[in-house]
Amino acid sequence: MPAVLRVALPLPLPTLFDYLPPEAGKACVGSRVLVPFGRGRLVGVVVVIDAEAAVDSKRLKQALRLLDDEALLDAELMQTLAWAADYWLGAPGEAYANALPLTLREARALPPTGDEYWSLTSAGQSAHDTGSRRGGSKALLALLADGALSARELNERQPGWREAARRLAGAGLLERSERAPSEHRPPSTSAPQLSDEQRQAVAAVGASLGHYQPFLLDGVTGSGKTEVYLALIEQVLAQGRQALLLVPEIGLAPQTVRRLRQRLGVMVEVLHSSLSEGERARAWLRARAGTARVILGTRSAIFTPLPQAGLIIVDEEHDGSYKQQDGFRYHARDLALVRARALGVPVLLGSGTPSLESLANAEAGRYRSLHLRARPGAVRAPQVQIIDMRGQRLEHGLSPALLTAVAETVARGEQALVFRNRRGYAPVLLCHGCGWHAECSRCERPLTLHASQRQLICHHCDHHQRLPATCPNCGAAELTAQGHGTERLEEALIARFPRVPVLRVDRETTRRKDAFEEMLATLDNDQPAILVGTQMLAKGHDLPNLTLVAIVGVDEGLHSVDFRAEERLAQLVVQVAGRAGRARKPGRVLLQTHQPEHPLLRNLLAHGYAAAARELLAERRLIQLPPYSHQVLLRADAPQREAVELFLTAAHAALPTDAPLQIAGPMPAPMALRAGRHRGQLLIEAGSRGVLRGLLRPWQQALAALPTARKVRWSLDVDPIDLY
Ligand code: ADP
Ligand code: ZN
Ligand code: ZN
């Protein structure tokens, strides 16, 4: 029997596909092949090269063409991807599709990764010396006589040079080369003198370079974590190795990128979602070639090849954006640990508000804990105070104490931030005449009023409709806005503080690229200002003149059905509060609530995040919730509720009856209707991961074979981070 190639194809199917090797070339594991599939062709990744055919090889098709002579994905990435596909129950092909930039999933040669350079050959040098050429050729030889120039420089200095270059290259006088993009500027800023705590953290991780060891670096925003990262990256670079730094979506501010570039003086490759596909592929390939030494990126950057890996850092490790919420539902932080182990390098998880998962790992001794308690820049930690709203006369949802604090702040020439995690004008539009309220017919949830757009918008399915002038139910002209979103707070603050600039930062006002940065840049001064915004403001740009943070409307987080809501609320409050007093001026934080006695808030404010997290962890342990148990969520949705129920009931029946599992459901999802589709779920919990892992693949296959599966859309989420 001839050996066959086993190939992962970019299809949502849990199998690999067998092909006969192509006519020419010798395939290796990790190289791409073009294969026939159905009526078309697909680019796949070779996973096994000498597999035994499972069917008669006469029935197998032959691969059309080998696209890479050597592996595009190295052994470590291949192994990690196989592990990840298995763990998160992805289709193998989907895991590869996540790892490879789009351009590399096409049947084309690899794009060049460097800048194009032109230089004189020795024949060219003598042609220049003897002056044997004329016109454009002569000018080009003269330009290059002092050394190679990039195509970009040539474009500027001799427009139309390519014609001459072609002639001269044909005559053997010029040659073209590729060079790593030149960003080898000497560092333009130098490191501050590290504090004792920072030095200890750097020493601990530094001593682990060269082998696997996870660390949890616990330090609030502004405590100097980034300086620790920078010092470690410098060590890694000095050893000739690569560093990967992951940041959450929201953390990739140009300010961060500039800081790294200025300090490290090497090329910092930045990978983020708005990169063009060509740029993304080049960056990926430069990392693979080892020319990119420092890679900074969001979630998907965890798939960057690191042939000379030295260190992996995950900043703000608690951030939910590290978990992919559709398709291949991997978690980049967890994958960072898997890769670090495979690569034999330390992994550093940093956060001011570590996830309960990571805290539990540190407690169990799996991670080593490092702490930064002091804030080097600031005078002292901000003072946090609860404002009891009960019985207060509110002005547009803002209490008198809060407004006074804002007034005092701007009177001192300082800046205040009013944080409200709800965009739009008001979350509900109500008829005072008959009690009708505007609701999304596809989600059965209130529509949010966006006043300046004169629209009602569903924040769940993005349905838009025009704002009615009168009540559609009774015709009365008594429609009133209930509750307060950022747009309404902005209006109220402008009315109240007419002489102070009020800036609103939410998804609506920052839609345009760079708008967020531009807006924040206007605050980089000593002028008073008021910022109103959503959690986009929780991180990013430092605002040296910001001294007051007022947090309003967090009470929703205190009665959510999601068991992670309190953890998230605590993280958000601490992160937002961390924006105050980043500079030399002392900061103040106000938390306005109807539940001043709530134990979480009390604990958080009196004893800080670590104490609140300990309490939450103790609760989780008591009721056996993650991280003390392991969950898998089966989600299903369909236009008909019965289809969902039938599928989930059959799915339940397909589980082994003798396994030590807790099963909740079938039940409606917390949001039971969304965009016109009924949603249901089945939650499976087990005390041991091993129990779950053993039964999930067979169950997934059984689910795919259920007749009822054809009428629903369904997915399995391993370690889900929210239950919606
Ligand atoms: P984090 O990453 O924890 O938010 P940063 O590393 O950004 O903290 O540090 C916050 C601020 O303090 C930055 O402006 C940084 O330059 C400054 N800083 C950090 N460490 C020191 C130090 N040892 N001495 C002086 N300034 C420092
Ligand atoms: Zn009405
Ligand atoms: Zn809707």
Side-chain angles (χ1 to χ4, degrees):
M1 251 195 208
V4 300
L5 301 181
R6 195 149 286 163
V7 178
L9 296 179
L11 301 166
L13 299 169
T15 42
L16 297 170
F17 297 83
D18 287 355
Y19 287 91
L20 297 171
E23 291 286 321
K26 192 163 161 13
C28 49
V29 171
S31 55
R32 299 169 305 156
V33 276
L34 183 67
V35 298
F37 190 86
R39 292 207 192 146
R41 299 162 157 209
L42 289 174
V43 174
V45 174
V46 177
V47 178
V48 183
I49 44 170
D50 43 11
E52 212 165 284
V55 296
D56 181 358
S57 61
K58 287 196 199 66
R59 287 171 50 204
L60 288 179
K61 291 192 181 154
Q62 187 175 30
L64 299 168
R65 189 152 58 87
L66 189 63
L67 297 172
D68 305 305
D69 298 332
E70 53 177 47
L72 183 62
L73 293 151
D74 62 25
E76 179 271 325
L77 259 182
M78 290 298 288
Q79 180 195 330
T80 301
L81 289 171
W83 184 92
D86 183 51
Y87 184 82
W88 283 288
L89 297 173
E94 282 182 319
Y96 295 99
N98 270 272
L100 280 178
L102 203 59
T103 312
L104 305 183
R105 287 181 247 154
E106 293 166 0
R108 281 199 253 137
L110 299 181
T113 59
D115 286 346
E116 177 188 359
Y117 271 80
W118 288 85
S119 55
L120 298 186
T121 60
S122 49
Q125 190 67 49
S126 25
H128 168 67
D129 294 341
T130 57
S132 65
R133 296 271 161 164
R134 295 281 160 262
S137 297
K138 180 184 170 122
L140 187 56
L141 289 173
L143 259 183
L144 295 174
D146 294 333
L149 288 175
S150 67
R152 206 174 328 127
E153 289 164 302
L154 288 169
N155 283 338
E156 281 167 22
R157 296 172 63 175
Q158 187 179 335
W161 60 276
R162 281 196 185 272
E163 179 60 26
R166 198 166 313 127
R167 271 198 312 271
L168 293 169
L173 304 185
L174 289 194
E175 62 191 1
R176 184 185 180 284
S177 59
E178 287 271 331
R179 286 198 197 168
S182 46
E183 230 192 294
H184 294 266
R185 299 194 194 99
S188 56
T189 54
S190 55
Q193 179 80 29
L194 294 186
S195 69
D196 286 346
E197 287 182 321
Q198 283 172 318
R199 259 201 306 279
Q200 280 161 21
V202 172
V205 183
S208 292
L209 292 179
H211 61 264
Y212 172 67
Q213 171 65 48
F215 292 91
L216 179 60
L217 175 63
D218 179 353
V220 294
T221 311
S223 62
K225 294 186 295 299
T226 308
E227 289 301 333
V228 171
Y229 305 158
L230 284 166
L232 285 165
I233 293 172
E234 279 170 349
Q235 288 190 16
V236 167
L237 290 174
Q239 297 184 352
R241 305 209 151 260
Q242 294 170 297
L244 172 65
L245 170 57
L246 295 186
V247 293
E249 290 297 341
I250 202 168
L252 201 51
Q255 214 183 23
T256 314
V257 178
R258 253 193 323 270
R259 188 166 164 196
L260 257 72
R261 288 198 166 136
Q262 286 171 353
R263 272 290 290 288
L264 298 170
V266 297
M267 190 163 87
V268 175
E269 204 69 75
V270 183
L271 286 160
H272 55 82
S273 49
S274 52
L275 224 53
S276 81
E277 286 305 328
E279 289 170 317
R280 175 181 297 279
R282 274 193 292 280
W284 193 94
L285 289 169
R286 284 198 284 257
R288 173 175 174 271
T291 45
R293 319 295 311 163
V294 180
I295 298 106
L296 170 66
T298 50
R299 181 176 64 228
S300 64
I302 191 55
F303 296 111
T304 312
L306 298 169
Q308 295 149 29
L311 174 66
I312 301 179
I313 303 170
V314 184
D315 190 29
E316 308 290 355
E317 64 85 28
H318 65 280
D319 196 282
S321 71
Y322 286 126
K323 171 90 165 144
Q324 179 142 300
Q325 298 281 28
D326 51 22
F328 180 44
R329 295 166 186 264
Y330 68 96
H331 199 304
R333 175 199 58 214
D334 298 349
L335 207 43
L337 283 131
V338 174
R339 288 203 72 188
R341 181 191 287 274
L343 291 163
V345 301
V347 53
L348 176 59
L349 309 180
S351 175
T353 54
S355 63
L356 297 189
E357 278 77 9
S358 294
L359 288 172
N361 276 320
E363 198 174 80
R366 284 187 287 271
Y367 300 173
R368 281 176 59 190
S369 293
L370 304 167
H371 298 276
L372 299 179
R373 292 185 182 83
R375 278 177 139 198
V379 192
R380 57 190 151 95
Q383 209 193 327
V384 186
Q385 192 189 330
I386 285 191
I387 298 182
D388 183 355
M389 292 164 80
R390 290 173 301 182
Q392 299 270 332
R393 263 197 47 183
L394 302 180
E395 202 176 305
H396 299 285
L398 303 175
S399 62
L402 191 150
L403 286 168
T404 307
V406 172
E408 287 167 2
T409 304
V410 294
R412 280 197 306 271
E414 295 167 3
Q415 298 167 354
L417 184 164
V418 177
F419 172 81
R420 169 81 171 118
N421 212 9
R422 194 132 205 180
R423 66 204 161 82
Y425 190 84
V428 177
L429 181 70
L430 181 79
C431 172
H432 193 55
C434 72
W436 170 90
H437 73 270
E439 195 175 78
C440 174
S441 60
R442 305 162 72 219
C443 301
E444 296 177 359
R445 292 286 170 102
L447 289 165
T448 300
L449 169 62
H450 286 251
S452 63
Q453 299 182 44
R454 304 202 57 75
Q455 295 266 339
L456 293 169
I457 301 177
C458 176
H459 286 188
H460 304 286
C461 73
D462 207 36
H463 165 76
H464 283 52
Q465 69 187 56
R466 282 190 62 83
L467 180 63
T470 56
C471 173
N473 186 46
C474 72
E478 295 192 64
L479 295 176
T480 60
Q482 298 282 306
H484 305 86
T486 45
E487 191 186 358
R488 192 173 195 178
L489 292 178
E490 177 193 25
E491 182 186 271
L493 289 161
I494 289 174
R496 174 83 190 225
F497 301 99
R499 269 187 280 280
V500 182
V502 176
L503 273 89
R504 168 158 64 100
V505 177
D506 57 26
R507 238 197 297 155
E508 206 171 12
T509 62
T510 56
R511 193 152 295 162
R512 191 171 49 79
K513 192 171 176 271
D514 301 334
F516 185 30
E517 279 299 313
E518 282 167 22
M519 230 188 278
L520 293 183
T522 65
L523 297 175
D524 231 342
N525 57 31
D526 274 338
Q527 298 304 309
I530 302 172
L531 268 153
V532 190
T534 56
Q535 65 182 7
M536 289 187 74
L537 282 174
K539 278 200 287 287
H541 211 101
D542 274 353
L543 298 168
N545 197 25
L546 181 76
T547 58
L548 174 71
V549 168
I551 303 176
V552 303
V554 295
D555 290 7
E556 291 101 332
L558 297 173
H559 7 248
S560 166
V561 295
D562 193 326
F563 72 88
R564 282 183 220 269
E566 293 200 333
E567 174 187 358
R568 282 208 204 99
L569 178 66
Q571 288 165 345
L572 194 59
V573 167
V574 173
Q575 297 278 346
V576 178
R579 302 309 310 265
R582 292 290 303 261
R584 269 150 247 299
K585 298 173 185 169
R588 193 172 163 206
V589 179
L590 303 177
L591 183 68
Q592 178 180 287
T593 174
H594 278 113
Q595 298 191 57
E597 304 302 332
H598 194 284
L600 174 71
L601 294 180
R602 281 259 154 249
N603 199 3
L604 189 61
L605 299 196
H607 307 292
Y609 180 80
R614 252 195 314 278
E615 194 90 352
L616 291 173
L617 261 181
E619 271 172 36
R620 299 257 189 107
R621 188 196 291 273
L622 199 66
I623 42 183
Q624 285 295 295
L625 281 170
Y628 301 104
S629 70
H630 305 281
Q631 297 184 328
V632 175
L633 186 64
L634 172 63
R635 295 186 178 88
D637 65 67
Q640 301 83 27
R641 183 178 301 133
E642 307 76 66
V644 175
E645 281 164 10
L646 284 173
F647 168 72
L648 291 175
T649 306
H652 191 179
L655 278 167
T657 47
D658 52 353
L661 301 175
Q662 283 85 51
I663 303 167
M667 59 191 168
M671 195 164 167
L673 186 71
R674 181 171 188 163
R677 297 179 71 93
H678 293 272
R679 310 163 82 231
Q681 60 191 32
L682 190 64
L683 180 67
I684 301 170
E685 282 178 296
S688 115
R689 211 182 275 286
V691 167
L692 273 184
R693 288 196 72 179
L695 61 85
L696 284 175
R697 269 294 175 197
W699 189 47
Q700 185 185 34
Q701 273 156 15
L703 294 180
L706 288 175
T708 49
R710 267 174 255 134
K711 298 225 169 71
V712 300
R713 208 162 54 182
W714 64 276
S715 64
L716 281 169
D717 193 352
V718 177
D719 305 333
I721 62 162
D722 70 49
L723 303 179
Y724 279 75

